[in-house]
Amino acid sequence: MGRYQDQYARAQRDPQAFWAEQAEHLHWHKKWDQVLDSSRAPLMQWFAGAQFNTCYNALDRHVENGRADQLALIYDSPVTGSARQLTFAQLRDEVAHFAGALLDQGVKPGDRVVIYMPMVPEAAVAMLACARIGAVHSVVFGGFAPRELAKRIDAAEPVLVISASCGIEPNRTIEYKPMLDEAIEISAHKPARCIILQRPQCTATLVAGRDVDWAAAVAQAKPADCVPRAATDPLYVLYTSGTTGKPKGVVRDNGGHAVALHYSMRAVFGCKPGDVYWAASDVGWVVGHSYIVYGPLLLGCTTVMYEGKPVGTPDAGAFWRVISQYKVNAFFTAPTAFRAIKKEDPNGTRVKNYDLSSLRTLFLAGERSDPDTIHWAENLLKVPVVDNWWQTELGWPAIANCQGIESMPVKAGSSTVPVPGYEMQALDNDGAPVPDGEIGNLVIKLPLPPGTLSTLWNNEQGYIDGYLSRYPGYYLTGDAGYIDADGYVWIMSRIDDIINVAGHRLSTGAMEEVLAGHADVAECAVIGVADTLKGQLPLGMVVLKSGVERPAAQIQNELIARVREHIGAVAAFKTVLIVPRLPKTRSGKVLRATMRSIAEGKEFVTPATIDDPRVLDEIGALIGNAQTRQANGGCG
């Protein structure tokens, strides 16, 4: 593919020619009139005038071109003790029949369909079936509380909801149907139909006249053909939590999305058709959309869908078992998953039980990858560990060490360099570029490349105000970081997580990096807490590795000394708590803003995406005890 600098320069110099070239890898029912339509700048459209079908390119194209018998999807479920494999031909046929079932229920091109499903093959089938007939899917993470599901139903206004009787956790069954029923009861918009997959672990009660059994619907349906759609038409709406509590609906188009994902599979992940690709995520998140379902299938890879956890299903060797069993070539997961494994198995002894010779590369994203976790993974797996950075809004990596172009030297803590198509800059509050190595607000110069959000659903002004207005000509990422003299980008924290200690702007991410480097620490978080004297003070929280039995006070003193040594007394880092676990979303993001509200005694709304709400009470008690000790003259 040529060296990185050459390809990056080509994408910057003539983006229309560059992306037209990438688009030639796919099938177009009608070619575009314009590669980039900027007539409504700053809102842009890629491949305007083209006709395209994402499902055809992900399935039918491969069936027709010699991959009919290649495995398309491997489903592995340690929580149910089951597994299933589908070839491209088999998956195409299942999708076509389910698409026919959607047509039978009155779903038309442009209609929205909410998908509220566990990690089962039918979730991917439902997404691809919507794409096949031109319906717009909106996947909601399975098990979301009824009120949050209702918000998304009201926002998307679906004609139909696809769900299952239950989801399975390691130690419990979660009934989805009662939550769906409650959500529809409290939502203002009422979907006309629901299709329900009955799982063996739980049978749902169907509402007469509204609910349809999945198996019965498919049995009566005829397979549906792919419907060409405008490349600029929406493929899906994915809701991400908004700061106002109202979900933001990220809109992804058909044509540009497929071009970007196909390119990223080759350029970023270094994959080729026939490879086995595993993203250990969930279809409810953007990683599941891009790299469980669409990206691997568009390239002609085998994708792995895993219904399990990194630890506890049954142990900290679960990931190694899947990689070995299915000969995974590229593996993508969140750093928090590796921190969970490191906590349970600090020396990585379980990896010795498996043959991981198929694995070429480990990719980490979703939460900042601290150097300690990267080095631990490198030493354990003996393969390149590629940190990459992107967002739900962007849809595919913007910063990465592009394995399909040129493998570059790793600087642990940096996601490496901008991917061709993305021009990153760090700006100060007035919009001026900051010097190399100085923290600023990270922005991306417009136009954004294909595959990024085209707008927010029914909220175009919100997209402009929230992302495009602060720095005209740029997209505001919301992250703070710096670009070094070699062009490497360092994401340090959200802009809101840059703290001001006695006039000094400091990165909580830099402090976390120092804490994570301690031999006894499995994972950590640092937040800024309001202080009447200094403005803000950092508060650290660490989870220790399993088996650590040293006195807590000794470890705390060592951690405080480390921050003083690496960052300086200016950080005023004096309080670090040892906690049993950190509050996280189900996708592994640490809920720093919520912890900050708890520490400052502010009211907060428990995030809908939280994995276990009980951890907030645990953290609140520990913070409260520490603040009481400090008030009485003790130390943290």
Side-chain angles (χ1 to χ4, degrees):
M1 294 184 70
R3 294 181 64 78
Y4 166 78
Q5 289 290 357
D6 294 338
Q7 192 162 146
Y8 184 81
R10 197 154 54 88
Q12 296 307 108
R13 186 170 59 248
D14 191 348
Q16 298 200 45
F18 180 83
W19 290 111
E21 180 184 319
Q22 307 311 321
E24 293 296 339
H25 291 274
L26 298 166
H27 174 84
W28 301 82
H29 296 280
K30 175 183 175 292
K31 285 289 184 71
W32 47 88
D33 300 323
Q34 289 177 281
V35 179
L36 177 64
D37 177 4
S38 56
S39 60
R40 296 186 64 231
L43 302 175
M44 312 284 187
Q45 289 191 318
W46 287 94
F47 307 106
Q51 294 281 314
F52 189 86
N53 186 278
T54 299
C55 181
Y56 179 87
N57 277 277
L59 298 178
D60 302 65
R61 180 169 61 92
H62 300 304
V63 173
E64 294 166 10
N65 292 315
R67 295 193 178 276
D69 297 326
Q70 178 195 310
L71 285 181
L73 188 148
I74 295 169
Y75 165 66
D76 185 285
S77 173
V79 294
T80 62
S82 61
R84 190 178 173 212
Q85 299 185 2
L86 292 164
T87 65
F88 272 98
Q90 290 168 334
L91 183 56
R92 189 273 314 268
D93 291 348
E94 285 210 13
V95 167
H97 273 93
F98 190 68
L102 293 179
L103 293 176
D104 290 345
Q105 298 304 319
V107 179
K108 304 183 299 297
D111 284 346
R112 273 80 62 211
V113 173
V114 162
I115 300 172
Y116 181 65
M117 295 280 280
M119 278 288 288
V120 292
E122 288 84 356
V125 167
M127 294 166 70
L128 289 159
C130 289
R132 191 172 190 84
I133 62 171
V136 180
H137 65 69
S138 186
V139 182
V140 179
F141 184 88
F144 249 18
R147 192 159 297 279
E148 292 301 320
L149 176 57
K151 287 181 186 177
R152 287 153 176 80
I153 289 172
D154 279 337
E157 298 181 318
V159 299
L160 181 141
V161 176
I162 302 167
S163 189
S165 56
C166 62
I168 314 293
E169 291 292 317
N171 52 7
R172 62 191 173 123
T173 298
I174 301 171
E175 292 191 35
Y176 283 9
K177 187 57 170 36
M179 292 192 287
L180 173 60
D181 290 342
E182 184 181 340
I184 292 174
E185 185 177 327
I186 61 180
S187 64
H189 175 81
K190 307 295 183 187
R193 290 281 186 273
C194 298
I195 297 180
I196 307 297
L197 175 72
Q198 299 282 18
R199 301 191 74 183
Q201 295 79 10
C202 170
T203 301
T205 302
L206 303 186
V207 175
R210 187 195 73 189
D211 297 346
V212 181
D213 176 80
W214 175 297
V218 170
Q220 297 168 9
K222 294 178 181 177
D225 290 330
C226 294
V227 177
R229 298 289 289 160
T232 53
D233 279 349
L235 169 69
Y236 69 76
V237 179
L238 179 59
Y239 285 92
T240 181
S241 300
T243 53
T244 62
K246 182 180 179 181
K248 297 179 295 186
V250 170
V251 178
R252 202 83 66 203
D253 67 6
N254 273 276
H257 169 258
V259 171
L261 290 189
H262 193 280
Y263 173 73
S264 72
M265 287 295 296
R266 294 177 286 119
V268 176
F269 299 104
C271 289
K272 59 187 184 299
D275 279 350
V276 179
Y277 185 96
W278 178 26
S281 182
D282 189 283
V283 291
W285 311 127
V286 69
V287 172
H289 283 59
S290 295
Y291 296 114
I292 295 176
V293 181
Y294 289 115
L297 296 179
L298 283 164
L299 186 61
C301 295
T302 301
T303 187
V304 177
M305 179 178 262
Y306 175 71
E307 190 182 25
K309 304 286 185 184
V311 297
T313 56
D315 53 40
F319 279 3
W320 322 139
R321 192 265 306 169
V322 173
I323 293 168
S324 174
Q325 185 171 341
Y326 301 116
K327 297 181 170 50
V328 172
N329 304 122
F331 178 40
F332 183 141
T333 191
T336 189
F338 265 71
R339 289 193 279 266
I341 295 169
K342 184 174 66 169
K343 180 179 185 294
E344 294 297 316
D345 184 15
N347 298 318
T349 54
R350 292 187 181 276
V351 81
K352 298 171 185 173
N353 300 328
Y354 300 96
D355 175 9
L356 305 187
S357 58
S358 65
L359 185 66
R360 296 195 300 261
T361 323
L362 167 67
F363 298 89
L364 296 175
E367 172 83 349
R368 189 165 179 275
S369 297
D370 59 280
D372 187 63
T373 298
I374 290 174
H375 292 318
W376 187 83
E378 284 173 338
N379 294 332
L380 184 69
L381 299 178
K382 305 293 191 289
V383 299
V385 177
V386 178
D387 185 9
N388 60 109
W389 175 90
W390 45 299
Q391 304 172 312
T392 299
E393 291 89 341
L394 299 178
W396 62 288
I399 311 168
N401 193 335
C402 296
Q403 298 300 290
I405 303 175
E406 176 186 5
S407 188
M408 303 175 75
V410 171
K411 296 185 183 185
S414 168
S415 301
T416 313
V417 291
V419 175
Y422 289 98
E423 182 179 331
M424 309 287 300
Q425 293 188 27
L427 305 179
D428 65 19
N429 286 335
D430 296 323
V434 300
D436 289 346
E438 193 171 302
I439 291 179
N441 298 330
L442 288 171
V443 298
I444 304 170
K445 189 176 181 182
L446 299 180
L448 293 177
T452 54
L453 80 168
S454 54
T455 187
L456 295 179
W457 185 256
N458 286 339
N459 191 11
E460 191 172 90
Q461 193 59 46
Y463 173 43
I464 294 169
D465 293 344
Y467 297 90
L468 307 178
S469 293
R470 181 167 176 183
Y471 299 110
Y474 295 91
Y475 165 91
L476 179 68
T477 68
D479 279 347
Y482 65 91
I483 302 171
D484 68 18
D486 297 322
Y488 281 54
V489 186
W490 301 72
I491 305 290
M492 300 312 295
S493 62
R494 296 295 290 170
I495 289 172
D496 293 343
D497 291 332
I498 294 291
I499 63 174
N500 193 315
V501 180
H504 300 281
R505 294 182 79 241
L506 299 170
S507 163
T508 55
M511 296 183 211
E512 290 176 4
E513 198 169 291
V514 173
L515 296 180
H518 189 286
D520 292 343
V521 172
E523 59 180 338
C524 61
V526 175
I527 58 173
V529 182
D531 179 77
T532 52
L533 180 64
K534 291 184 178 285
Q536 284 180 296
L537 284 174
L539 168 64
M541 281 166 272
V542 300
V543 178
L544 301 181
K545 294 175 182 174
S546 295
V548 174
E549 296 178 353
R550 299 170 60 224
Q554 184 180 348
I555 296 172
Q556 288 168 315
N557 288 334
E558 291 170 0
L559 291 169
I560 291 167
R562 276 182 67 87
V563 174
R564 177 178 284 268
E565 176 191 350
H566 289 271
I567 295 178
V570 67
F573 186 85
K574 298 175 182 176
T575 308
V576 60
L577 307 179
I578 294 174
V579 301
R581 54 185 179 153
L582 294 171
K584 298 178 185 177
T585 66
R586 292 183 179 94
S587 63
K589 286 185 170 61
V590 176
L591 294 166
R592 292 174 178 81
T594 306
M595 288 193 289
R596 189 164 58 240
S597 295
I598 292 172
E600 294 180 349
K602 294 179 179 177
E603 289 189 13
F604 65 92
V605 177
T606 300
T609 54
I610 193 167
D611 187 40
D612 184 350
R614 293 172 297 181
V615 72
L616 297 179
D617 294 330
E618 298 169 10
I619 292 290
L622 290 166
I623 291 175
N625 290 340
Q627 291 172 333
T628 300
R629 287 196 301 274
Q630 287 178 325
N632 294 332
C635 68

